[in-house]
């Protein structure tokens, strides 16, 4: 009986060890995959103009992006579009505030229009990215690059409207800070799109 009990305990311990090892191996493998994915994003972002912003805005999507240049470019474009949309909404709210001078109101109105155009360009780019196939890759990517470049130009133009003394210091800093973030996001997205296009070029 004592022998049987000892064997039973030993068998149970072996089974528990195997079960634990199996469960432990899966998280370890998952962690290794996540590390490779985030490293892929970090390395890819190093080729952009704003690598720190690039990595911080995309690293949370590492499990979806994995190590795929197309998914990385698509995620960067999606983040840029979301940022442009939210900034455009912010600009609309600011433009409706009382107390703006005529010059400030004019600059805000122009900026709202330019950001709206930027959002449209980025939205078209997203739709086009979803249509990429081997047979139409070159033409489709050319369209995407053109539209994202146009979005970036719109954003730059918006920012130029607040150069000099168009607005007072605090308001100008707040507006320019928001727009600058969109410009940098779109610049990074364009760089990653260009990198993806170059792989298949």
């Amino acid at each position: 009986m004592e022998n049987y009990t000892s064997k039973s305990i030993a068998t149970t311990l072996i089974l528990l060890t195997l079960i634990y090892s199996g469960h432990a191996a899966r998280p370890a493998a998952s962690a290794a995959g996540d590390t490779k994915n985030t490293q892929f994003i970090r390395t890819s972002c190093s080729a952009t103009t704003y690598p720190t912003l690039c990595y911080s805005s995309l690293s949370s999507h590492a499990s979806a992006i994995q190590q795929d240049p197309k998914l990385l470019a698509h995620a960067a474009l999606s983040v840029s579009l979301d940022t442009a949309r939210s900034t455009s909404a912010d600009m609309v709210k600011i433009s409706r505030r009382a107390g703006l001078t005529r010059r400030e109101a004019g600059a805000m109105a122009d900026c709202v229009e330019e950001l709206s155009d930027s959002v449209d360009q980025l939205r078209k780019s997203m739709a086009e990215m979803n249509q990429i196939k081997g047979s139409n890759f070159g033409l489709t990517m050319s369209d995407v690059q053109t539209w994202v470049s146009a979005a970036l130009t719109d954003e730059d133009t918006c920012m130029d409207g607040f150069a000099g003394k168009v607005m007072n210091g605090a308001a100008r800093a707040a507006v320019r800070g928001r727009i600058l973030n969109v410009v940098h996001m779109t610049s990074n997205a364009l760089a990653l799109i260009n990198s993806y296009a170059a792989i298949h070029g």
Side-chain angles (χ1 to χ4, degrees):
M1 181 70 177
E2 192 175 324
N3 253 357
Y4 175 79
T5 304
S6 298
K7 285 181 183 176
S8 177
I9 291 170
T11 303
T12 303
L13 287 172
I14 289 168
L15 286 172
L16 287 172
T17 302
L18 289 172
I19 291 167
Y20 175 77
S21 298
H23 282 295
R26 278 192 289 274
S30 176
D34 287 345
T35 300
K36 286 182 179 178
N37 295 343
T38 54
Q39 187 55 47
F40 167 72
I41 294 171
R42 192 185 297 280
T43 301
S44 301
C45 283
S46 67
T48 67
T49 308
Y50 310 100
T52 302
L53 176 65
C54 176
Y55 179 76
S56 66
S57 65
L58 295 173
S59 58
S60 61
H61 304 285
S63 59
I65 293 168
Q66 297 181 25
Q67 296 167 61
D68 188 321
K70 179 183 178 181
L71 293 177
L72 178 64
H74 195 281
L77 191 54
S78 177
V79 169
S80 179
L81 175 57
D82 288 345
T83 306
R85 276 177 175 153
S86 63
T87 303
S88 180
D90 287 343
M91 293 301 106
V92 169
K93 289 175 187 174
I94 294 171
S95 70
R96 291 173 180 166
R97 285 181 187 169
L100 291 178
T101 66
R102 183 177 296 180
R103 192 176 178 190
E104 289 171 346
M108 286 301 305
D110 289 342
C111 184
V112 166
E113 184 177 347
E114 282 143 7
L115 284 178
S116 176
D117 289 343
S118 174
V119 168
D120 286 341
Q121 303 281 7
L122 293 172
R123 190 185 294 118
K124 285 195 292 187
S125 300
M126 281 284 292
E128 198 74 354
M129 280 283 284
N130 290 329
Q131 302 301 317
I132 289 179
K133 298 174 186 173
S135 58
N136 68 358
F137 184 88
L139 183 60
T140 303
M141 282 307 298
S142 177
D143 286 343
V144 170
Q145 288 167 308
T146 298
W147 286 330
V148 178
S149 294
L152 188 56
T153 299
D154 287 330
E155 293 159 9
D156 279 330
T157 303
C158 169
M159 185 123 104
D160 289 343
F162 295 98
K165 297 181 179 178
V166 173
M167 298 183 87
N168 66 54
R172 178 174 170 272
V175 168
R176 280 178 63 85
R178 286 183 174 93
I179 300 164
L180 196 61
N181 188 50
V182 181
V183 170
H184 290 179
M185 286 283 198
T186 306
S187 171
N188 285 343
L190 182 58
L192 294 173
I193 287 166
N194 289 342
S195 293
Y196 171 54
I199 293 171
H200 295 268

